Amino acid sequence: MYGWAQQSHYANKLEEFSQMRAVDSTDVVMLGNGLVEYAGDWNILLGWKHIRNRGIATEDANGLWRRLNTVTAGHPQAIFIMVGQEDILNGATVEETYNQCVQILHFIKTRCPKTKLFVQSNLPVCDYYNADKLKGKSDKIAVLNVKLRNYCKQRGLAYINLYKSFIRHGTTELRRELTTDGQNLSAFGYRLWAFELKKYLLQLSSHP
């Protein structure tokens, strides 16, 4: 699944999480790949409290699936999840990725029925930077998002459409001012993300 450096980083993050206080019902958990991890302290970014960053760079849906129990066991107040982008970038089909995403969402709702689950659209990418990994992937991410949005609508799950704010008008590509390399976000990109999420935090029972 991962190269040596990614495996090492993945193992280090799992060890880091295991040394932290376990997730509990007061927490809001951010789940995803490097886009989530590299935000750093989400409490500062969102002006909130009890937000736990559980993102791991380069993690795909299978990796997230394998560690999901460490989050759901604590029945957190809320989970904001973004999953699927990494799979598409690694060459998985939209259908394969969608099926794994659905498995994860179903597991969370089954194990944590009282947890407020927010499904975030995957963010677009931009191959302007000539990264081979990104070429031809923007359209596939867009299709995956439509499938996830429809799934959430059918099952009454909260779907956060970040995608529409991050694409360059008339394209499926990430706005260049929002990224540092075509995938990872700039400081402006994180500010936009935080702005979009704050309205959903207000739905939670505990305020900062």
Side-chain angles (χ1 to χ4, degrees):
M1 180 174 63
Y2 303 126
W4 182 86
Q6 289 139 339
Q7 288 178 349
S8 178
H9 178 76
Y10 189 81
N12 288 340
K13 290 301 292 185
L14 292 182
E15 176 63 21
E16 180 184 321
F17 295 156
S18 73
Q19 300 300 316
M20 295 178 178
R21 172 181 67 79
V23 169
D24 64 29
S25 61
T26 68
D27 291 323
V28 175
V29 181
M30 306 296 295
L31 274 177
N33 64 1
L35 294 171
V36 173
E37 178 186 345
Y38 297 147
D41 190 339
W42 280 95
N43 294 282
I44 294 174
L45 191 60
L46 293 170
W48 210 255
K49 61 182 180 180
H50 295 297
I51 300 183
R52 314 293 296 277
N53 187 332
R54 288 295 183 270
I56 302 182
T58 74
E59 182 177 66
D60 59 14
N62 186 52
L64 179 54
W65 169 255
R66 293 206 310 269
R67 66 184 178 94
L68 207 49
N69 267 323
T70 63
V71 172
T72 58
H75 298 275
Q77 179 185 182
I79 294 174
F80 286 80
I81 186 170
M82 180 183 288
V83 61
Q85 184 201 69
E86 207 69 47
D87 300 74
I88 296 295
L89 297 185
N90 288 335
T93 67
V94 170
E95 197 64 29
E96 289 168 343
T97 304
Y98 171 74
N99 289 336
Q100 285 208 288
C101 292
V102 165
Q103 183 182 37
I104 289 169
L105 299 179
H106 178 73
F107 182 87
I108 293 173
K109 289 307 297 178
T110 301
R111 293 298 179 91
C112 305
K114 294 183 179 179
T115 295
K116 183 67 175 176
L117 178 60
F118 295 93
V119 181
Q120 302 173 92
S121 64
N122 288 282
L123 296 185
V125 294
C126 173
D127 61 14
Y128 168 78
Y129 295 84
N130 293 319
D132 289 340
K133 181 180 180 181
L134 306 181
K135 289 192 181 301
K137 302 300 172 59
S138 295
D139 290 346
K140 292 181 179 180
I141 291 173
V143 174
L144 175 62
N145 282 338
V146 171
K147 291 175 74 69
L148 289 174
R149 183 183 66 202
N150 290 338
Y151 175 85
C152 290
K153 183 178 181 180
Q154 290 166 4
R155 285 156 181 81
L157 300 180
Y159 179 80
I160 303 176
N161 188 356
L162 299 171
Y163 183 85
K164 59 181 172 51
S165 297
F166 279 76
I167 55 169
R168 188 158 54 91
H169 183 68
T171 75
T172 59
E173 291 197 340
L174 178 60
R175 291 161 53 190
R176 294 176 190 173
E177 69 272 23
L178 301 180
T179 184
T180 57
D181 60 3
Q183 179 187 12
N184 291 300
L185 296 181
S186 63
F188 181 28
Y190 277 111
R191 287 197 300 272
L192 177 58
W193 191 354
F195 174 80
E196 295 288 339
L197 291 189
K198 285 178 181 178
K199 68 189 85 169
Y200 295 95
L201 284 169
L202 294 174
Q203 299 178 21
L204 304 181
S205 58
S206 62
H207 289 198

